[in-house]
Amino acid sequence: MSSVVVVGSLNMDLVASTKMMPRAGETVIGASFQQIPGGKGANQAVAIARLGGNVRMIGTVGDDGFGDTLVEALNKDKVDTASVRKENDCSTGVAVITVDEQANNSIIVIPGANYRMTIEDIDNCIDQINESDLVVLQLEVPIEVVKHTLVKAKELGKYTILNPAPAQYLDNDIISKVDLLIPNETELEILSGITIKDQNDILEAGRKLVVSGVKELIVTLGEQGCLYLTEKEYKYFKAYKVNAVDTTAAGDSFVGGITIGLMNGLEMDQAIEFASKVGALAVTKQGAQSSLPYLEAVTQFEGELL
Ligand code: ADP
Protein backbone atom coordinates (compact mmCIF):
# COMPACT_ATOMS: atom_id res chain seq x y z
CA MET A 1 0.00 0.00 0.00
CA SER A 2 1.21 3.51 -0.74
CA SER A 3 2.22 5.85 2.06
CA VAL A 4 2.31 9.55 2.78
CA VAL A 5 4.53 11.93 4.71
CA VAL A 6 3.03 15.04 6.33
CA VAL A 7 5.53 17.84 7.01
CA GLY A 8 3.98 20.38 9.35
CA SER A 9 2.87 21.72 12.67
CA LEU A 10 1.73 20.21 15.95
CA ASN A 11 -0.15 22.52 18.34
CA MET A 12 -2.03 22.12 21.59
CA ASP A 13 -5.31 24.05 21.42
CA LEU A 14 -6.14 25.55 24.82
CA VAL A 15 -9.80 26.45 24.65
CA ALA A 16 -11.39 28.69 27.30
CA SER A 17 -15.18 29.08 27.04
CA THR A 18 -16.66 32.15 28.67
CA LYS A 19 -19.99 33.98 28.75
CA MET A 20 -18.30 37.30 27.95
CA MET A 21 -14.86 37.98 26.47
CA PRO A 22 -12.64 39.93 28.88
CA ARG A 23 -11.78 43.47 27.75
CA ALA A 24 -8.23 44.81 28.16
CA GLY A 25 -7.36 44.87 31.88
CA GLU A 26 -10.46 42.87 32.86
CA THR A 27 -10.67 39.43 34.53
CA VAL A 28 -13.71 37.23 33.97
CA ILE A 29 -14.62 33.84 35.39
CA GLY A 30 -14.97 31.43 32.49
CA ALA A 31 -17.31 28.47 32.05
CA SER A 32 -14.99 25.63 30.96
CA PHE A 33 -11.53 24.73 29.68
CA GLN A 34 -10.40 22.08 27.20
CA GLN A 35 -7.05 20.94 25.86
CA ILE A 36 -7.44 19.61 22.30
CA PRO A 37 -4.60 18.37 20.06
CA GLY A 38 -4.38 20.45 16.88
CA GLY A 39 -1.97 22.07 14.45
CA LYS A 40 -2.73 21.79 10.74
CA GLY A 41 0.06 19.27 10.10
CA ALA A 42 -0.98 16.92 12.91
CA ASN A 43 -4.67 17.33 12.04
CA GLN A 44 -4.06 16.32 8.44
CA ALA A 45 -1.90 13.36 9.51
CA VAL A 46 -4.62 12.16 11.89
CA ALA A 47 -7.31 12.68 9.23
CA ILE A 48 -5.35 10.44 6.83
CA ALA A 49 -4.67 7.78 9.50
CA ARG A 50 -8.34 7.61 10.56
CA LEU A 51 -9.27 7.08 6.92
CA GLY A 52 -6.94 4.06 6.80
CA GLY A 53 -3.76 5.65 5.40
CA ASN A 54 -0.19 4.73 6.20
CA VAL A 55 1.18 8.12 7.38
CA ARG A 56 4.37 9.48 8.91
CA MET A 57 4.58 12.92 10.53
CA ILE A 58 7.70 15.10 10.27
CA GLY A 59 7.55 17.96 12.76
CA THR A 60 8.93 19.48 15.95
CA VAL A 61 7.57 19.75 19.51
CA GLY A 62 8.99 21.48 22.58
CA ASP A 63 10.30 19.88 25.76
CA ASP A 64 7.23 20.76 27.81
CA GLY A 65 4.43 18.31 28.66
CA PHE A 66 2.31 19.37 25.67
CA GLY A 67 4.86 17.92 23.23
CA ASP A 68 4.62 14.44 24.78
CA THR A 69 0.83 14.62 24.89
CA LEU A 70 0.64 15.57 21.20
CA VAL A 71 2.97 12.75 20.17
CA GLU A 72 0.95 10.28 22.28
CA ALA A 73 -2.25 11.46 20.58
CA LEU A 74 -0.68 10.84 17.16
CA ASN A 75 0.58 7.40 18.22
CA LYS A 76 -2.90 6.51 19.44
CA ASP A 77 -4.20 7.30 15.96
CA LYS A 78 -1.45 5.13 14.40
CA VAL A 79 0.48 8.04 12.88
CA ASP A 80 4.19 7.15 12.72
CA THR A 81 5.92 9.74 14.96
CA ALA A 82 9.53 8.49 14.68
CA SER A 83 10.37 11.71 12.75
CA VAL A 84 8.81 14.13 15.25
CA ARG A 85 11.80 15.83 16.89
CA LYS A 86 11.86 17.33 20.39
CA GLU A 87 13.53 20.76 20.60
CA ASN A 88 15.16 21.59 23.94
CA ASP A 89 14.40 24.79 25.86
CA CYS A 90 11.44 25.54 23.69
CA SER A 91 7.67 25.57 24.13
CA THR A 92 5.44 23.34 22.02
CA GLY A 93 3.20 25.20 19.57
CA VAL A 94 0.00 26.34 21.26
CA ALA A 95 -3.19 28.09 20.20
CA VAL A 96 -4.81 29.99 23.06
CA ILE A 97 -8.47 30.20 22.07
CA THR A 98 -11.24 32.12 23.84
CA VAL A 99 -14.83 31.41 22.79
CA ASP A 100 -17.85 33.37 24.07
CA GLU A 101 -21.53 32.40 24.24
CA GLN A 102 -22.20 33.78 20.75
CA ALA A 103 -19.41 31.51 19.39
CA ASN A 104 -17.18 34.54 18.68
CA ASN A 105 -13.58 33.54 19.17
CA SER A 106 -10.22 35.21 19.60
CA ILE A 107 -7.07 33.20 19.08
CA ILE A 108 -3.36 33.67 19.83
CA VAL A 109 -1.12 31.16 18.08
CA ILE A 110 2.38 30.75 19.51
CA PRO A 111 4.33 28.67 16.98
CA GLY A 112 7.07 27.70 19.49
CA ALA A 113 8.85 24.54 18.32
CA ASN A 114 7.06 24.57 14.95
CA TYR A 115 9.21 27.55 13.95
CA ARG A 116 12.39 25.73 15.08
CA MET A 117 12.01 23.22 12.29
CA THR A 118 14.97 23.43 9.90
CA ILE A 119 15.94 22.20 6.45
CA GLU A 120 18.33 19.77 8.22
CA ASP A 121 15.26 18.13 9.76
CA ILE A 122 14.06 17.44 6.23
CA ASP A 123 17.47 16.20 5.06
CA ASN A 124 17.61 13.87 8.09
CA CYS A 125 14.30 12.35 7.00
CA ILE A 126 15.07 12.11 3.29
CA ASP A 127 14.92 8.29 3.32
CA GLN A 128 11.44 8.40 4.82
CA ILE A 129 10.35 10.91 2.18
CA ASN A 130 11.84 8.68 -0.50
CA GLU A 131 9.93 5.66 0.83
CA SER A 132 6.62 7.52 0.56
CA ASP A 133 4.51 8.28 -2.51
CA LEU A 134 2.94 11.60 -1.51
CA VAL A 135 4.11 14.57 0.53
CA VAL A 136 1.56 16.85 2.21
CA LEU A 137 2.43 20.34 3.52
CA GLN A 138 0.82 23.44 5.05
CA LEU A 139 2.30 26.82 6.06
CA GLU A 140 2.58 26.59 9.86
CA VAL A 141 6.32 25.78 9.73
CA PRO A 142 9.08 28.09 8.36
CA ILE A 143 8.62 28.85 4.68
CA GLU A 144 12.20 27.80 3.85
CA VAL A 145 11.37 24.35 5.25
CA VAL A 146 8.28 24.15 3.03
CA LYS A 147 10.33 25.21 0.00
CA HIS A 148 13.18 22.78 0.71
CA THR A 149 10.74 19.90 1.22
CA LEU A 150 9.01 20.64 -2.07
CA VAL A 151 12.33 20.82 -3.94
CA LYS A 152 13.53 17.50 -2.45
CA ALA A 153 10.16 15.80 -2.93
CA LYS A 154 10.07 16.76 -6.61
CA GLU A 155 13.70 15.64 -7.09
CA LEU A 156 12.58 12.26 -5.75
CA GLY A 157 9.57 12.21 -8.07
CA LYS A 158 6.93 12.46 -5.33
CA TYR A 159 3.40 13.86 -5.71
CA THR A 160 3.12 17.05 -3.63
CA ILE A 161 0.02 18.53 -2.01
CA LEU A 162 0.13 22.00 -0.41
CA ASN A 163 -2.64 23.42 1.74
CA PRO A 164 -1.47 27.09 1.84
CA ALA A 165 -2.80 27.84 5.32
CA PRO A 166 -2.57 30.17 7.14
CA ALA A 167 -2.86 32.47 4.15
CA GLN A 168 0.33 33.96 2.83
CA TYR A 169 1.70 35.05 -0.53
CA LEU A 170 3.96 32.44 -2.16
CA ASP A 171 6.54 32.99 -4.88
CA ASN A 172 6.62 31.01 -8.11
CA ASP A 173 9.55 28.89 -6.90
CA ILE A 174 7.17 27.31 -4.40
CA ILE A 175 4.00 27.32 -6.47
CA SER A 176 5.65 25.56 -9.41
CA LYS A 177 6.71 22.61 -7.21
CA VAL A 178 3.16 21.90 -6.11
CA ASP A 179 1.18 19.21 -7.92
CA LEU A 180 -2.08 19.88 -6.08
CA LEU A 181 -2.78 23.16 -4.28
CA ILE A 182 -5.78 23.25 -1.91
CA PRO A 183 -6.53 26.81 -0.69
CA ASN A 184 -9.80 28.09 0.75
CA GLU A 185 -11.32 31.32 -0.57
CA THR A 186 -9.31 33.64 1.71
CA GLU A 187 -6.07 31.88 0.88
CA LEU A 188 -6.87 32.04 -2.85
CA GLU A 189 -7.41 35.79 -2.54
CA ILE A 190 -4.00 36.34 -0.93
CA LEU A 191 -2.16 33.95 -3.27
CA SER A 192 -3.64 35.50 -6.41
CA GLY A 193 -3.90 39.13 -5.31
CA ILE A 194 -7.46 39.17 -6.72
CA THR A 195 -10.30 40.36 -4.48
CA ILE A 196 -13.06 37.76 -4.55
CA LYS A 197 -16.65 38.97 -4.74
CA ASP A 198 -18.29 36.29 -6.89
CA GLN A 199 -17.75 33.01 -8.75
CA ASN A 200 -16.13 34.74 -11.72
CA ASP A 201 -13.45 36.15 -9.41
CA ILE A 202 -12.79 32.68 -8.00
CA LEU A 203 -12.26 31.32 -11.54
CA GLU A 204 -10.06 34.26 -12.51
CA ALA A 205 -7.94 33.91 -9.37
CA GLY A 206 -7.67 30.15 -9.82
CA ARG A 207 -6.62 30.53 -13.46
CA LYS A 208 -3.91 32.99 -12.42
CA LEU A 209 -2.40 30.33 -10.12
CA VAL A 210 -2.60 27.65 -12.79
CA VAL A 211 -0.82 29.97 -15.23
CA SER A 212 1.90 30.51 -12.61
CA GLY A 213 2.61 26.77 -12.51
CA VAL A 214 0.15 24.92 -10.24
CA LYS A 215 -0.84 21.74 -12.06
CA GLU A 216 -4.11 21.09 -10.24
CA LEU A 217 -6.08 23.34 -7.93
CA ILE A 218 -8.98 22.72 -5.56
CA VAL A 219 -10.50 25.82 -3.98
CA THR A 220 -12.61 24.84 -0.97
CA LEU A 221 -15.68 27.03 -0.50
CA GLY A 222 -17.17 25.85 2.82
CA GLU A 223 -20.82 24.86 2.46
CA GLN A 224 -20.66 25.98 -1.19
CA GLY A 225 -18.48 22.93 -1.91
CA CYS A 226 -15.34 23.35 -4.00
CA LEU A 227 -13.93 24.20 -7.42
CA TYR A 228 -11.48 21.93 -9.24
CA LEU A 229 -9.34 23.64 -11.86
CA THR A 230 -6.52 22.70 -14.23
CA GLU A 231 -5.16 24.32 -17.37
CA LYS A 232 -7.70 22.40 -19.45
CA GLU A 233 -10.89 22.23 -17.38
CA TYR A 234 -12.84 23.32 -14.34
CA LYS A 235 -15.69 21.78 -12.38
CA TYR A 236 -17.72 22.74 -9.31
CA PHE A 237 -18.56 20.11 -6.68
CA LYS A 238 -21.39 20.60 -4.19
CA ALA A 239 -21.02 20.09 -0.43
CA TYR A 240 -23.13 17.59 1.50
CA LYS A 241 -26.04 18.67 3.66
CA VAL A 242 -25.26 18.26 7.37
CA ASN A 243 -26.05 19.93 10.66
CA ALA A 244 -22.87 22.02 11.02
CA VAL A 245 -21.88 22.76 14.62
CA ASP A 246 -18.20 23.76 14.30
CA THR A 247 -16.23 24.27 11.09
CA THR A 248 -12.82 23.88 12.78
CA ALA A 249 -10.63 21.47 10.79
CA ALA A 250 -13.05 21.27 7.83
CA GLY A 251 -10.15 22.12 5.52
CA ASP A 252 -7.76 19.73 7.28
CA SER A 253 -10.19 16.85 7.02
CA PHE A 254 -10.86 17.64 3.34
CA VAL A 255 -7.11 17.58 2.59
CA GLY A 256 -6.90 14.23 4.41
CA GLY A 257 -9.78 12.90 2.33
CA ILE A 258 -8.24 13.96 -0.99
CA THR A 259 -4.88 12.48 0.02
CA ILE A 260 -6.31 9.10 0.93
CA GLY A 261 -8.47 9.07 -2.20
CA LEU A 262 -5.42 9.64 -4.42
CA MET A 263 -3.38 7.09 -2.40
CA ASN A 264 -6.08 4.53 -3.10
CA GLY A 265 -5.93 5.26 -6.83
CA LEU A 266 -9.25 7.11 -7.15
CA GLU A 267 -9.76 9.51 -10.05
CA MET A 268 -9.75 13.16 -8.92
CA ASP A 269 -13.56 13.46 -9.26
CA GLN A 270 -14.10 10.51 -6.93
CA ALA A 271 -11.42 11.70 -4.51
CA ILE A 272 -13.18 15.09 -4.28
CA GLU A 273 -16.56 13.46 -3.64
CA PHE A 274 -14.99 11.33 -0.89
CA ALA A 275 -13.22 14.36 0.65
CA SER A 276 -16.46 16.37 0.58
CA LYS A 277 -18.07 13.67 2.73
CA VAL A 278 -15.10 13.76 5.10
CA GLY A 279 -15.33 17.58 5.37
CA ALA A 280 -19.08 17.47 5.93
CA LEU A 281 -18.75 14.92 8.75
CA ALA A 282 -15.97 16.96 10.39
CA VAL A 283 -18.23 20.03 10.76
CA THR A 284 -20.84 17.98 12.64
CA LYS A 285 -18.49 17.73 15.66
CA GLN A 286 -16.64 20.22 17.89
CA GLY A 287 -12.89 20.79 17.87
CA ALA A 288 -9.97 19.90 15.61
CA GLN A 289 -8.69 16.33 15.98
CA SER A 290 -11.80 15.48 18.00
CA SER A 291 -13.95 16.10 14.90
CA LEU A 292 -12.00 14.12 12.29
CA PRO A 293 -14.08 11.15 11.06
CA TYR A 294 -13.07 7.48 10.77
CA LEU A 295 -13.30 5.56 7.48
CA GLU A 296 -16.35 3.60 8.61
CA ALA A 297 -18.37 6.77 9.24
CA VAL A 298 -17.47 8.10 5.79
CA THR A 299 -18.36 4.91 3.92
CA GLN A 300 -21.65 4.66 5.81
CA PHE A 301 -22.53 8.33 5.16
CA GLU A 302 -25.31 8.61 2.61
CA GLY A 303 -25.37 12.35 2.39
CA GLU A 304 -27.59 14.48 0.26
CA LEU A 305 -25.90 17.21 -1.77
CA LEU A 306 -26.67 20.81 -0.87
P1 ADP B 1 -11.32 25.72 5.62
O1 ADP B 1 -11.61 25.06 6.93
O2 ADP B 1 -9.91 25.53 5.16
O3 ADP B 1 -11.80 27.14 5.49
P2 ADP B 1 -13.69 24.98 4.07
O4 ADP B 1 -14.53 25.67 5.09
O5 ADP B 1 -13.73 25.51 2.67
O6 ADP B 1 -12.17 24.85 4.53
O7 ADP B 1 -14.16 23.44 4.06
C1 ADP B 1 -13.51 22.42 3.36
C2 ADP B 1 -14.55 21.48 2.77
O8 ADP B 1 -15.34 20.90 3.83
C3 ADP B 1 -15.57 22.16 1.84
O9 ADP B 1 -15.07 22.23 0.50
C4 ADP B 1 -16.79 21.25 1.99
O10 ADP B 1 -16.69 20.12 1.15
C5 ADP B 1 -16.71 20.80 3.46
N1 ADP B 1 -17.51 21.72 4.32
C6 ADP B 1 -17.10 22.81 5.00
N2 ADP B 1 -18.12 23.42 5.66
C7 ADP B 1 -19.22 22.67 5.39
C8 ADP B 1 -20.62 22.76 5.76
N3 ADP B 1 -21.07 23.74 6.55
N4 ADP B 1 -21.46 21.80 5.29
C9 ADP B 1 -21.02 20.79 4.50
N5 ADP B 1 -19.72 20.65 4.10
C10 ADP B 1 -18.83 21.58 4.53
Side-chain angles (χ1 to χ4, degrees):
M1 164 154 182
S2 61
S3 68
V4 58
V5 163
V6 175
V7 177
S9 59
L10 300 95
N11 283 334
M12 184 59 88
D13 293 350
L14 306 173
V15 187
S17 302
T18 171
K19 197 165 179 202
M20 297 260 289
M21 292 272 187
R23 284 167 299 183
E26 190 185 19
T27 301
V28 297
I29 303 294
S32 66
F33 174 72
Q34 276 179 296
Q35 235 174 268
I36 308 176
K40 291 179 195 300
N43 292 347
Q44 292 178 18
V46 169
I48 295 164
R50 287 190 187 170
L51 297 169
N54 186 352
V55 53
R56 174 182 289 257
M57 173 97 211
I58 302 179
T60 319
V61 293
D63 57 355
D64 49 14
F66 290 147
D68 294 333
T69 310
L70 291 176
V71 169
E72 275 163 32
L74 289 182
N75 288 337
K76 219 172 121 202
D77 269 304
K78 302 195 175 61
V79 174
D80 183 337
T81 56
S83 304
V84 176
R85 182 173 66 78
K86 193 183 271 190
E87 172 90 6
N88 290 329
D89 299 321
C90 183
S91 62
T92 298
V94 292
V96 180
I97 305 171
T98 314
V99 190
D100 73 10
E101 257 185 357
Q102 279 79 46
N104 298 309
N105 59 26
S106 64
I107 305 177
I108 305 174
V109 174
I110 297 144
N114 293 311
Y115 274 14
R116 299 280 189 95
M117 214 179 162
T118 64
I119 59 175
E120 286 75 36
D121 287 324
I122 301 305
D123 290 341
N124 290 338
C125 297
I126 207 72
D127 291 343
Q128 287 76 24
I129 294 176
N130 198 19
E131 281 162 17
S132 70
D133 306 283
L134 288 91
V135 179
V136 175
L137 298 126
Q138 318 75 30
L139 300 176
E140 283 187 334
V141 296
I143 197 71
E144 65 271 17
V145 172
V146 173
K147 195 168 178 173
H148 188 71
T149 309
L150 285 168
V151 169
K152 291 290 164 190
K154 286 322 292 175
E155 276 174 18
L156 295 168
K158 306 300 168 189
Y159 186 86
T160 56
I161 299 177
L162 176 64
N163 171 223
Q168 108 177 46
Y169 177 77
L170 297 173
D171 60 36
N172 271 20
D173 273 6
I174 292 186
I175 294 266
S176 60
K177 303 259 174 328
V178 179
D179 290 307
L180 175 61
L181 188 74
I182 312 182
N184 67 12
E185 220 174 307
T186 319
E187 289 143 14
L188 176 68
E189 199 165 70
I190 291 184
L191 285 169
S192 65
I194 292 173
T195 308
I196 291 168
K197 297 175 292 306
D198 54 33
Q199 281 206 347
N200 286 336
D201 297 329
I202 296 174
L203 260 184
E204 191 193 335
R207 287 202 169 113
K208 193 171 165 188
L209 295 184
V210 169
V211 166
S212 67
V214 178
K215 290 159 204 77
E216 294 182 281
L217 177 76
I218 300 172
V219 184
T220 65
L221 305 165
E223 61 181 353
Q224 309 294 327
C226 66
L227 166 71
Y228 171 67
L229 188 91
T230 65
E231 214 179 357
K232 293 198 192 80
E233 56 171 334
Y234 73 87
K235 186 172 172 184
Y236 280 96
F237 290 79
K238 288 185 174 167
Y240 286 91
K241 198 170 171 180
V242 283
N243 180 21
V245 297
D246 176 14
T247 58
T248 308
D252 292 336
S253 65
F254 184 92
V255 172
I258 288 285
T259 305
I260 199 86
L262 296 179
M263 282 168 82
N264 288 337
L266 296 186
E267 294 296 324
M268 188 58 88
D269 272 26
Q270 296 168 299
I272 291 175
E273 277 159 26
F274 181 80
S276 303
K277 289 185 181 177
V278 177
L281 287 170
V283 304
T284 63
K285 290 199 179 144
Q286 293 281 351
Q289 284 171 31
S290 46
S291 74
L292 300 170
Y294 289 85
L295 182 60
E296 207 187 352
V298 187
T299 44
Q300 283 174 1
F301 179 65
E302 288 174 14
E304 193 186 320
L305 291 170
L306 269 168

